[in-house]
């Protein structure tokens, strides 16, 4: 067993898989059900689906698509997008979702995190934080698909979400997302040093070495990526894939692997 989870994060838009760069220029890359089948074959431990169309359109989650994903997925999966109330969360769990990932609504209605945690248990409630570096070098949390500033410091926000009952955080660096330049390890470490709940590093992974840095230097509890599992080669041909388990085990279970 790996000591940490390595999680594909798949973006949904209008029931299709898309991928972008720095939260912009999203392009269609395939069918989500086909991707699930491939990840089943690769024996991936966990998946996360984030629907970026529901927030922008003010729509409910696509329950029909989520049910289809649940019927195909052999592994636990989390879902985020368009979640605004506990009734939606309850319905998602009934469909087979293991974790709900809440972003914009956590900022606009923090009590939702407390209510959801009471309903389902903290382990099932994940708060997603999208973070960008300011002109002056500090960090700020953004919501609404990374379009809206909150004036919230990510460390203070992470502590607030933990106190409200979040059981896990996904920290995505907007400036690194889709660049394959590696995680913002300094940001990850600031958050992990402050909170007691698991922190998932996301945004920028381009190699297993980046996973190792987030784990060993940033103290991330898990690592997530999109590009690495969606594209292949310098021309970014679409290829849904996942590293061999033996390679992950070799790299990630060695604490001094920083290359």
């Amino acid at each position: 067993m790996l000591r940490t989870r390595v999680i594909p994060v798949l973006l949904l838009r209008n029931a299709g898989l898309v991928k972008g760069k720095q939260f912009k220029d999203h392009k269609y890359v395939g069918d989500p059900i086909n991707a699930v089948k491939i990840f089943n074959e690769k024996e991936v431990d966990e998946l996360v689906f984030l629907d970026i169309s529901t927030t922008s359109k003010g729509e409910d989650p696509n329950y029909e698509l989520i049910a289809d994903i649940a019927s195909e997925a052999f592994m636990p999966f989390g879902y985020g997008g368009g979640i605004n109330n506990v009734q939606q969360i309850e319905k998602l769990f009934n469909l087979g979702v293991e974790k709900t990932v809440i972003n914009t609504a956590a900022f606009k209605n923090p009590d939702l995190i407390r209510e959801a945690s009471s309903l389902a248990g903290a382990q099932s409630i994940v708060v997603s934080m999208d973070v960008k570096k300011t002109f002056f070098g500090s960090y700020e949390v953004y919501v609404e698909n990374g379009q809206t500033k909150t004036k919230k410091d990510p460390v203070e926000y992470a502590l607030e979400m933990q106190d409200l009952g979040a059981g896990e955080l996904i920290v995505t660096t907007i400036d690194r997302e889709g660049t394959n330049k590696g995680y913002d390890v300094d940001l990850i470490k600031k958050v992990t040093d402050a909170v007691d709940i698991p922190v998932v590093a996301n945004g920028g992974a381009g190699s297993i070495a980046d996973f190792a840095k987030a784990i060993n230097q940033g103290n991330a509890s898990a690592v997530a990526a999109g590009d690495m599992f969606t594209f292949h080669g310098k021309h970014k041909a679409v290829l849904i894939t996942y590293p061999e388990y033996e390679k992950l085990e070799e790299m990630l279970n060695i604490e001094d692997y920083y290359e």
Side-chain angles (χ1 to χ4, degrees):
M1 287 289 293
L2 294 174
R3 293 186 309 203
T4 54
R5 292 166 290 148
V6 178
I7 307 168
V9 173
L10 304 175
L11 301 183
L12 299 168
R13 185 175 66 185
N14 302 326
L17 280 185
V18 297
K19 193 68 190 73
K21 183 176 179 180
Q22 297 173 329
F23 285 42
K24 297 178 291 187
D25 302 325
H26 293 96
K27 296 178 175 62
Y28 177 80
V29 295
D31 173 64
I33 302 302
N34 183 56
V36 169
K37 291 177 180 177
I38 294 170
F39 286 127
N40 282 339
E41 293 174 1
K42 298 289 186 180
E43 299 183 344
V44 173
D45 289 331
E46 184 176 341
L47 291 175
V48 169
F49 289 90
L50 302 176
D51 193 329
I52 63 173
S53 56
T54 51
T55 298
S56 60
K57 295 179 180 179
E59 296 176 346
D60 277 355
N62 185 337
Y63 296 116
E64 183 177 350
L65 175 60
I66 295 163
D68 288 344
I69 291 170
S71 69
E72 291 289 346
F74 294 166
M75 74 292 285
F77 72 95
Y79 168 83
I83 299 173
N84 296 297
N85 58 63
V86 291
Q87 290 76 25
Q88 293 170 321
I89 291 171
E90 194 166 19
K91 186 169 183 176
L92 289 167
F93 287 139
N94 288 335
L95 290 175
V97 173
E98 297 268 337
K99 295 178 180 178
T100 54
V101 183
I102 305 172
N103 185 305
T104 301
F107 171 71
K108 291 187 173 181
N109 179 22
D111 282 341
L112 174 62
I113 303 304
R114 182 181 289 111
E115 294 170 17
S117 183
S118 297
L119 169 73
Q123 76 284 349
S124 298
I125 306 303
V126 181
V127 169
S128 172
M129 298 169 44
D130 299 329
V131 181
K132 195 170 185 177
K133 197 172 257 190
T134 70
F135 178 78
F136 299 103
S138 59
Y139 293 101
E140 184 175 359
V141 176
Y142 280 61
V143 294
E144 296 179 329
N145 293 333
Q147 302 304 306
T148 303
K149 297 179 180 182
T150 66
K151 298 183 180 179
K152 289 277 190 178
D153 172 79
V155 171
E156 293 175 2
Y157 190 67
L159 286 167
E160 179 184 347
M161 293 299 113
Q162 175 179 265
D163 290 345
L164 286 167
E168 185 167 88
L169 302 171
I170 298 176
V171 180
T172 303
T173 309
I174 295 173
D175 293 328
R176 301 285 183 108
E177 192 258 347
T179 66
N180 305 124
K181 293 180 178 179
Y183 299 107
D184 187 334
V185 175
D186 290 340
L187 170 63
I188 299 302
K189 192 170 190 307
K190 286 178 186 290
V191 177
T192 58
D193 283 351
V195 300
D196 300 319
I197 57 178
V199 174
V200 182
N202 188 39
S207 67
I208 299 175
D210 292 330
F211 294 161
K213 287 179 183 178
I215 295 162
N216 296 320
Q217 297 178 4
N219 297 326
S221 301
V223 289
D227 260 43
M228 271 188 68
F229 307 135
T230 307
F231 297 122
H232 176 72
K234 64 179 181 179
H235 299 297
K236 291 202 167 187
V238 176
L239 177 66
I240 305 298
T241 188
Y242 191 79
E244 294 294 331
Y245 180 87
E246 291 76 14
K247 191 70 172 177
L248 287 171
E249 186 177 45
E250 175 189 354
M251 299 293 192
L252 300 188
N253 288 347
I254 300 174
E255 291 191 4
D256 60 357
Y257 185 82
Y258 296 114
E259 296 177 9

